[in-house]
Amino acid sequence: MYRGNLPVLMYHHVSRKSGLKTLSVSAFREQMKWPAETGWYTVKTENIESFYQGNQLPRKSVMLTFDNGFVDNWFYAFPVLKEFNLNAHIFLITGLVGEGPARRFIVDKYSHQDCEVQIRVAFHPHSRTHTQWGNINLTPEAALTFFRSDILLAREFMKRNMGECSHHLCWHDGYYNSDYISVAAELGFRFLYTTEKRVNNFKNGTLHLGRISMQERQHLVWLKRRLFCYTMPVFSSLYSLYKNQGNLSH
């Protein structure tokens, strides 16, 4: 057990059809098979929260995250996670969840557009509308008001449909600033996930959690090197110093 660093992997699509932010099923399975067979522990929500309260994790710990809650996560990613008994976290766009019967596996491939449909799987809120808050044509004050409403609606959806809402929130497209952090904290979110490459540890807190973007070009050797850098104290300190110099402007 150790109180070191927690690498967080970021996924979007896992599918047989290549395209925007999509990892092939074979590449994803390879990326999951190796940590499962070499003793890596995929953390649960309670593990993360305990870690940031000062408690310990297994040395080889990693967090798996999926943004948006696309339907291919269920058809392609979940069977792999189940095969290797791995834990994962989905940040859900609640506005894309609808009523009706559960989706059945009726096609062989899904495009990005195909996946923006109604699904039922979720763990943490991402947003309600998936609007790019930093790019909307509003004054800063109006944009902040819109952001508050968007996240509040996502939080209420989670409470209404799941009985509770976690304290974890993922920034859409990685956009945030100090005002957005303040609003998120006011609404009860203490763990805020970015798209920035940053080493996560107890000392750095939970308001700027970094993630490693996993794409088709990131093969297994690349993943092994990243996890080594993020979990070895000396290498992670040097990597953190290098990366954080360009990531603290938010």
Side-chain angles (χ1 to χ4, degrees), residues 97-116:
V97 178
E99 302 296 332
R103 291 289 300 261
R104 295 184 179 277
F105 193 2
I106 57 176
V107 298
D108 187 55
K109 298 179 181 179
Y110 291 91
S111 67
H112 178 76
Q113 185 175 4
D114 292 332
C115 291
E116 294 183 331

Side-chain angles (χ1 to χ4, degrees), residues 230-249:
Y230 272 70
T231 54
M232 294 298 292
V234 174
F235 288 95
S236 64
S237 297
L238 294 174
Y239 188 77
S240 179
L241 178 64
Y242 170 71
K243 286 296 182 182
N244 287 358
Q245 287 177 348
N247 285 336
L248 295 180
S249 59

